[in-house]
Amino acid sequence: MCNTGYRIPILGIFVFLLVLMGGCQGLKGSRPLLPQKEYEKMIVGNLYADYVGTQNCLAACHEHDRLKEFFDASTMGAQLKKESGMPLVDCESCHGPGSVAISGLTRELVEKNARQGIKTACDYKTLIDLKNLPAPAQSLTCLKCHSANATFNLHNWNAGTHAISDVSCFDCHKVHQSPDLKVTPIKSGQLCFSCHQAAQVEFSLTSHHPLREGRVFCIDCHDPHGGISGSLLKEESVKESCVQCHPDKRGPFLYEHADVMDDCQNCHTAHGSVNTNLLNAREPFLCLQCHEGHAVNNRAGDRISPESARAFYTRCTDCHSTIHGSDVPSASGTGRFTQ
Amino acid sequence: MIYHLVPKRVVTWTLVFFLCGFAVSAPAGSSDADLEESSGSDEITQNNDEILPHYKGEGSFYLGFRAVNIDTAGRSAEYEDGKSSIALGLDGLACPLPHRYHMHLEYFGEHNNYADFGYAYKDLLLFRNVFVGIHHNLDHYNYLYPGDPPAVLFEDRSPGDENYVDFIKNELLLRAKAPDFPLHVFAKHRYVEREGILEQRFLAGSIGNLIKTSESRDINWESNDLTLGMNSHLGPVEVEFSRNESTFDPGTGSVLYDYFPSSTVFGRPGDTYPHNVVPETESSGNTIRFHSSFTGQIVASATLSNAENTNNYSGAESDGWKAAMDLRWIPDPVVSLFFKYRHQEKDKENPEQVVLSGLVNRITYPVRTPISTEKDLFSLSARYRPLNKLTLIGNYEFEHRKRTDIDDWIVLPADSDVHRINLTAHARPLNTLKLKAIYDYEAYANPSYNTEPDHSNKIRLNATYTPVGWITVFCDYSLRLMQREELQYLQGNELVLLEDGERDGRMDRFLGSLSLLFSPEVTLTASWAYNRRKIEQDLAYTLWSTTGAGRDLPYYDRGVPYSDESNTFILSLYYLLRKDLTLTADLSYTIAEGEYLPGDVIAGNSSTLGSFSAMETTETMVTVGLAKKILQDWEVGVSFAADFFEDRFNDGAGVEQDDEAFITTFTVKRYF
């Protein structure tokens, strides 16, 4: 048996002691970001621009925007104030330094134009063109701060399927849309299906988890930020994902179905199926794929009757009902999953 | 202990807390005075002194009635309890800074509800609670041929019972942060409850007098899962440690008892024995995770975790640990390399023997050693962006599986290797056209199960075309071909491994959709999805030896075809009839067919077997919704949903599936 049970807590405590002893200085500093800098240089055209502060963007021109209202109420909005003790966040944190963009503009000019019904535009093309940045650069815009603070769910982001496949933070999180940047469980399906249409169709099949009923959510099983198992699963394995809601199948059992149960997808499909109980195939074919069937002859050498075949080759789980594992020996004294 | 919190109490207090929160945060929009104050400067200067911003709370509340009309508790109403109910909803977001609240609540009946509450105080405290409740109708199977053959009887001890499960899940998160330092502590708790009546099927009787039995079983299962953890920085490295404990309590009735007559074949005396035990289980684990700063060219992360699982009924144990490492390197803005390594060990341990305790007899049986496993997985990916509109991704993955203690199991290989290659191209040749092409290859050495192939090839093509702003065409097609030789079967009780037979598989999937945005007021989307899974496999059946004891080599039924096929057609309409009147409509039709055609394995016509497993069903769903704004902040709505399920193949499967469901909901909504 493994003896790691006590080692990991000790290691954890040791690491945290180091954290506390390590001091706080420098931990909030955002480290240089080479790719981001390169993109800034390419898109802004120069790095001579200065940071002019949120007041000169939001307060000067965007003060009545709903965007400002949303942003102010977000966590990042709270970080506008130095008193937050966190890395400051403002418009320029993402859009780049703005001194070139507002060069030559004064508040009087903006107000004068406004009185004449003219909207004064800054030279926004000198800012970082976030919408058209490659996905990794868009994500780095967010990660440069979210690496300075704790990032609970981004641990496996960088080598995750989404990051590799050019999915950026912007694809799911609309920074300006609402003070609440989280994707709620009930809205996660809508968001995921905008790219994963095939998965949406699977849920329209007759046997399905109640996702279209709004009672199971994509993020119940998947973490779009990445994980250590495949298919962006939130848990460490397929079985671990399933037993979160089906704990009676967790085991271990005295009589296991070999190691088949380690991956529930050996028999079930997670999203939807044309077969009942989300099965990959109907019984008895499902079982006969791996198991030799009951005898088709008798001792005299005659083939069994259709009636007998019907009894033994239809729904295997009528008799083998503890197929997910059993703690009671069957009549033969072995684990035939009949008891 | 959080473990033993009663979830209803949690939900109640959470609700009270949030309602108070919303009450004190009555819409507090920025006053004109505030705005004047905040824009007092005469010229654009560097001035970061701001007043605390305010956000005007917003949301909606609706109340109505949901009328449910279900003919039977069949397939179309799989998640409906058939009871009409009031419909209640609340959606709110309030940010009286530094407090932030959100709430989303849906109540469609005692067993159909959802609640999501969130509260944050600055960045110091975060609370989230998500509650889900749903009813699930379960099938009630009958074996339609009792006594035919005479050696197989059928007894339904609860005929006509409707089987169901009421499912509840409550997930709670509480996270606190140290002021001015990224040190967090967090607690996560998950509570799952299943309550209802299952149909318990099992085999009673003895050989020569088998009784397929069905009886209702009351269940009240509870599961609690608690995780406590800390997260912080160690210079440029972030570290997180968490401890998890979970329990599963099957409640009363976790063991069933029945009289089993004496078995001359197996030498077991007649007695009342336990069966279909649902054991109480416990598990615990620790996880430690590290990752470097995300902002460098090289980013690394590592995870180490262990888990211990115990079955309190039988004493079976399973321990294991996992390690994971990710490495990303961006040597150049157009090139990225990704490396992953995963290691997993699972050791299982059973008592060497088990005592079966009947009312009178105690019989000791040996228990075979369970299989322990190890897995290693290496993955290397490269992403190259030669052009702004073209991205190429290549991935190679190698997986090694090792099994120990397999002597008693025979059929499983000690080692299996899997090689996987994936090539992907994302292209945008035109601003109006997005293309994706994927090729996957898999090769297995010593596949674990017959369902795993020796080789598998898969292609997938995906295109999104927007020729004009109001038309979007989407197509996705994938094809997977699998081949397997030398299937492995265990020759019954002879414990001899046989290697014979072949298996071929083919899976096709197509999805096409056309979206038409006629105007901002009218959107129409039509979709068609096609799925087919086709397998041909040699199946093995036991043959008794006619020349002596034991068995002959099995009878192979060669090239048995099995298929599943489905077509789904969907039509969706959004129509803003007037500024204050919205119509939404959805229509979907799914037809599914399946075949299983065994050869001549029995006397007479084998179609009996094939017909049992044949399948043809259709499901039609219609949803129509109408919402009309009245007064300034009020809206009335009505929605109608109908679902028609038809099992066209009356195959004697022993479960009634045809039915219809109608749901009509009236609501009055108030925005605030």
Side-chain angles (χ1 to χ4, degrees):
Chain A
M1 300 298 283
C2 295
N3 293 317
T4 52
Y6 62 92
R7 289 182 193 159
I8 291 182
I10 291 173
L11 184 59
I13 292 165
F14 175 70
V15 168
F16 267 91
L17 285 175
L18 282 178
V19 169
L20 295 175
M21 288 158 49
C24 307
Q25 298 305 316
L27 297 185
K28 297 178 204 168
S30 184
R31 294 171 66 79
L33 182 66
L34 176 65
Q36 181 71 11
K37 273 197 164 180
E38 290 299 316
Y39 288 126
E40 281 189 27
K41 204 184 291 179
M42 278 190 290
I43 293 158
V44 179
N46 63 67
L47 288 175
Y48 302 119
D50 279 332
Y51 290 86
V52 294
T54 295
Q55 281 291 329
N56 293 306
C57 307
L58 293 176
C61 296
H62 297 279
E63 68 178 299
H64 298 297
D65 285 4
R66 191 140 176 82
L67 300 184
K68 172 176 160 57
E69 204 180 354
F70 285 151
F71 184 78
D72 282 351
S74 69
T75 312
M76 287 180 285
Q79 290 176 236
L80 287 165
K81 292 180 75 69
K82 287 176 184 171
E83 292 74 21
S84 72
M86 296 187 291
L88 289 179
V89 170
D90 59 19
C91 310
E92 292 167 304
S93 301
C94 303
H95 293 281
S99 66
V100 177
I102 63 164
S103 175
L105 298 183
T106 61
R107 187 174 298 281
E108 290 79 10
L109 178 64
V110 172
E111 287 173 355
K112 183 181 161 194
N113 286 345
R115 281 194 293 275
Q116 294 169 2
I118 301 167
K119 198 172 176 183
T120 310
C122 64
D123 188 5
Y124 60 85
K125 286 183 182 171
T126 63
L127 300 171
I128 296 177
D129 186 9
L130 287 169
K131 277 186 187 167
N132 293 313
L133 282 182
Q138 289 180 339
S139 295
L140 283 169
T141 305
C142 305
L143 291 171
K144 66 181 179 181
C145 290
H146 284 270
S147 193
N149 201 347
T151 46
F152 293 89
N153 50 3
L154 296 174
H155 183 76
N156 293 100
W157 168 259
N158 283 286
T161 310
H162 274 158
I164 295 175
S165 306
D166 275 355
V167 175
S168 93
C169 310
F170 297 1
D171 291 323
C172 303
H173 301 282
K174 305 298 177 199
V175 176
H176 293 149
Q177 198 172 57
S178 162
D180 197 352
L181 302 181
K182 293 185 293 291
V183 178
T184 61
I186 210 156
K187 286 182 181 163
S188 63
Q190 209 177 348
L191 191 68
C192 300
F193 294 148
S194 61
C195 293
H196 299 276
Q197 294 96 331
Q200 183 174 20
V201 171
E202 286 169 10
F203 282 102
S204 71
L205 297 176
T206 48
S207 177
H208 59 274
H209 273 123
L211 186 129
R212 68 185 197 215
E213 286 79 4
R215 297 297 176 257
V216 156
F217 317 107
C218 303
I219 56 175
D220 282 343
C221 303
H222 301 280
D223 183 349
H225 304 106
I228 68 170
S229 56
S231 304
L232 292 173
L233 286 178
K234 204 153 85 171
E235 302 296 332
E236 293 179 355
S237 66
V238 171
K239 181 178 178 181
E240 202 54 41
S241 303
C242 300
V243 300
Q244 300 304 316
C245 291
H246 300 276
D248 52 305
K249 310 288 190 302
R250 185 195 289 271
F253 298 100
L254 207 55
Y255 299 100
E256 296 262 1
H257 199 157
D259 59 358
V260 175
M261 276 278 289
D262 286 351
D263 184 351
C264 307
Q265 294 190 109
N266 283 322
C267 298
H268 297 278
T269 182
H271 295 161
S273 170
V274 295
N275 304 310
T276 56
N277 298 318
L278 291 165
L279 287 172
N280 289 336
R282 292 177 300 286
E283 297 176 67
F285 185 79
L286 177 74
C287 309
L288 291 174
Q289 291 175 110
C290 293
H291 295 280
E292 186 184 280
H294 290 294
V296 290
N297 69 343
N298 56 30
R299 291 283 183 191
D302 300 324
R303 289 295 174 92
I304 60 171
S305 67
E307 291 74 24
S308 293
R310 191 173 57 204
F312 289 105
Y313 293 119
T314 46
R315 204 164 37 233
C316 309
T317 49
D318 275 351
C319 303
H320 302 276
S321 56
T322 55
I323 203 67
H324 295 109
S326 171
D327 287 320
V328 181
S330 51
S332 62
T334 57
R336 300 286 178 194
F337 307 116
T338 54
Q339 245 176 279
Chain B
M1 289 287 286
I2 297 176
Y3 252 45
H4 302 292
L5 285 177
V6 179
K8 284 174 186 169
R9 189 178 299 169
V10 173
V11 174
T12 306
W13 281 107
T14 305
L15 196 59
V16 169
F17 172 73
F18 275 86
L19 289 174
C20 291
F22 276 95
V24 297
S25 66
S30 302
S31 67
D32 291 344
D34 290 340
L35 292 173
E36 280 170 22
E37 192 181 337
S38 66
S39 57
S41 174
D42 286 329
E43 47 182 271
I44 297 176
T45 57
Q46 297 188 31
N47 178 10
N48 277 320
D49 295 333
E50 280 199 302
I51 59 162
L52 198 63
H54 288 278
Y55 171 76
K56 186 179 177 182
E58 62 179 30
S60 61
F61 168 79
Y62 66 79
L63 185 65
F65 187 74
R66 187 169 182 266
V68 178
N69 185 350
I70 299 172
D71 270 6
T72 65
R75 187 55 48 81
S76 72
E78 188 173 353
Y79 296 105
E80 287 289 340
D81 66 1
K83 294 174 187 165
S84 298
S85 161
I86 62 161
L88 177 71
L90 184 61
D91 204 355
L93 183 64
C95 298
L97 294 175
H99 308 274
R100 285 175 290 136
Y101 300 86
H102 84 261
M103 174 188 280
H104 185 93
L105 179 70
E106 283 177 6
Y107 179 87
F108 295 143
E110 190 184 350
H111 304 298
N112 185 356
N113 35 59
Y114 167 80
D116 176 3
F117 309 114
Y119 168 72
Y121 174 71
K122 294 184 176 176
D123 67 332
L124 301 178
L125 189 68
L126 179 70
F127 168 83
R128 186 89 185 261
N129 193 86
V130 178
F131 174 87
V132 171
I134 190 162
H135 176 89
H136 189 189
N137 292 310
L138 303 175
D139 292 329
H140 185 105
Y141 294 98
N142 286 306
Y143 180 65
L144 301 174
Y145 310 99
D148 189 14
V152 182
L153 301 172
F154 174 67
E155 182 186 1
D156 188 347
R157 297 175 182 172
S158 317
D161 266 15
E162 291 195 353
N163 301 111
Y164 68 92
V165 164
D166 288 324
F167 174 83
I168 284 175
K169 184 169 79 169
N170 192 76
E171 291 181 297
L172 182 147
L173 165 71
L174 188 62
R175 194 166 82 196
K177 176 182 174 294
D180 300 336
F181 187 76
L183 170 67
H184 298 75
V185 292
F186 60 90
K188 289 189 268 189
H189 180 255
R190 179 192 291 113
Y191 172 81
V192 172
E193 181 187 294
R194 272 192 157 76
E195 191 175 6
I197 304 172
L198 300 183
E199 181 194 27
Q200 183 64 67
R201 289 174 290 146
F202 62 96
L203 184 64
S206 62
I207 289 178
N209 183 33
L210 297 172
I211 307 169
K212 291 188 176 194
T213 311
S214 163
E215 70 174 33
S216 288
R217 180 176 197 170
D218 291 326
I219 62 160
N220 187 5
W221 297 342
E222 287 184 354
S223 162
N224 280 284
D225 183 293
L226 178 68
T227 303
L228 299 173
M230 290 187 287
N231 175 301
S232 191
H233 284 244
L234 180 65
V237 177
E238 182 174 326
V239 58
E240 182 178 305
F241 171 74
S242 61
R243 163 94 185 158
N244 172 274
E245 287 194 13
S246 56
T247 58
F248 169 66
D249 177 6
T252 55
S254 62
V255 184
L256 300 181
Y257 293 91
D258 253 275
Y259 181 78
F260 292 83
S262 65
S263 166
T264 50
V265 177
F266 299 121
R268 194 169 78 172
D271 200 348
T272 297
Y273 295 111
H275 65 93
N276 291 88
V277 171
V278 181
E280 178 188 281
T281 58
E282 286 176 11
S283 66
S284 61
N286 303 287
T287 302
I288 188 160
R289 311 197 297 179
F290 304 87
H291 71 75
S292 66
S293 167
F294 288 144
T295 54
Q297 280 183 305
I298 296 177
V299 179
S301 67
T303 302
L304 187 64
S305 69
N306 76 325
E308 296 171 358
N309 302 292
T310 309
N311 180 323
N312 290 339
Y313 181 84
S314 64
E317 288 182 359
S318 161
D319 292 353
W321 65 279
K322 287 176 189 167
M325 195 190 85
D326 291 350
L327 191 70
R328 188 212 66 192
W329 178 35
I330 304 184
D332 185 275
V334 298
V335 178
S336 305
L337 298 170
F338 308 86
F339 172 73
K340 291 187 204 180
Y341 170 66
R342 304 284 184 264
H343 177 81
Q344 177 189 320
E345 281 187 33
K346 190 179 273 190
D347 289 351
K348 294 185 180 173
E349 226 175 59
N350 278 346
E352 289 182 356
Q353 54 190 29
V354 59
V355 177
L356 180 67
S357 298
L359 275 184
V360 179
N361 301 287
R362 285 171 62 83
I363 311 165
T364 302
Y365 292 107
V367 179
R368 61 178 161 178
T369 312
I371 297 172
S372 294
T373 54
E374 277 182 39
K375 265 187 205 174
D376 288 283
L377 187 146
F378 304 86
S379 164
L380 183 63
S381 304
R383 183 179 63 210
Y384 175 49
R385 189 178 291 105
L387 305 166
N388 269 347
K389 296 186 172 181
L390 177 66
T391 303
L392 304 172
I393 301 168
N395 170 260
Y396 168 72
E397 196 172 281
F398 171 68
E399 183 180 337
H400 176 71
R401 306 172 191 162
K402 186 180 170 188
R403 296 181 177 84
T404 50
D405 301 322
I406 57 167
D407 294 346
D408 292 346
W409 297 78
I410 299 173
V411 74
L412 290 170
D415 294 278
S416 300
D417 291 336
V418 190
H419 301 266
R420 298 186 183 95
I421 294 170
N422 170 285
L423 301 171
T424 303
H426 298 260
R428 196 155 194 157
L430 305 167
N431 285 336
T432 55
L433 181 63
K434 225 162 65 172
L435 298 172
K436 186 160 78 174
I438 302 172
Y439 169 70
D440 278 309
Y441 173 74
E442 290 182 353
Y444 289 71
N446 299 324
S448 304
Y449 318 113
N450 285 350
T451 48
E452 288 182 344
D454 293 324
H455 302 280
S456 157
N457 287 276
K458 182 182 174 185
I459 55 159
R460 185 174 172 198
L461 302 168
N462 179 303
T464 307
Y465 181 45
T466 313
V468 287
W470 60 279
I471 299 178
T472 302
V473 182
F474 172 80
C475 289
D476 182 275
Y477 174 69
S478 71
L479 167 67
R480 186 181 184 204
L481 299 171
M482 295 167 288
Q483 291 89 35
R484 169 73 186 270
E485 291 179 350
E486 294 197 338
L487 297 172
Q488 296 186 322
Y489 285 104
L490 192 61
Q491 191 186 4
N493 288 337
E494 307 296 327
L495 299 182
V496 175
L497 181 64
L498 304 167
E499 292 189 342
D500 191 4
E502 294 178 356
R503 174 185 164 101
D504 293 319
R506 177 190 170 114
M507 290 180 210
D508 303 81
R509 192 166 72 183
F510 174 78
L511 172 62
S513 79
L514 172 67
S515 295
L516 304 170
L517 181 70
F518 292 114
S519 70
E521 290 82 30
V522 186
T523 310
L524 181 69
T525 302
S527 311
W528 169 47
Y530 172 73
N531 272 289
R532 182 174 64 172
R533 183 164 180 264
K534 207 171 173 183
I535 296 165
E536 268 193 24
Q537 182 176 339
D538 299 342
L539 301 180
Y541 297 86
T542 299
L543 280 179
W544 291 115
S545 169
T546 54
T547 56
R551 304 174 191 215
D552 280 336
L553 285 175
Y555 173 80
Y556 278 96
D557 189 5
R558 302 285 176 183
V560 176
Y562 173 91
S563 67
D564 287 335
E565 194 172 307
S566 70
N567 282 278
T568 302
F569 306 91
I570 302 172
L571 207 56
S572 299
L573 171 73
Y574 168 84
Y575 189 6
L576 188 65
L577 292 161
R578 288 191 335 222
K579 204 175 173 183
D580 58 349
L581 189 62
T582 309
L583 170 72
T584 52
D586 293 283
L587 170 67
S588 88
Y589 175 74
T590 299
I591 178 164
E593 294 172 283
E595 272 187 343
Y596 161 57
L597 299 172
D600 189 15
V601 294
I602 55 170
N605 190 355
S606 289
S607 62
T608 317
L609 301 182
S611 68
F612 171 83
S613 196
M615 177 264 296
E616 185 175 349
T617 62
T618 65
E619 185 171 26
T620 309
M621 290 185 287
V622 184
T623 311
V624 182
L626 205 57
K628 167 86 172 73
K629 285 201 169 167
I630 54 171
L631 304 176
Q632 192 184 350
D633 296 320
W634 292 84
E635 184 181 278
V636 290
V638 59
S639 73
F640 172 75
D643 193 334
F644 306 92
F645 188 92
E646 186 186 358
D647 185 1
R648 289 184 171 177
F649 201 94
N650 191 10
D651 54 6
V655 58
E656 183 60 54
Q657 296 189 324
D658 293 8
D659 76 323
E660 300 169 351
F662 303 95
I663 299 169
T664 310
T665 310
F666 300 93
T667 53
V668 178
K669 193 180 226 179
R670 163 89 161 91
Y671 292 92
F672 56 87

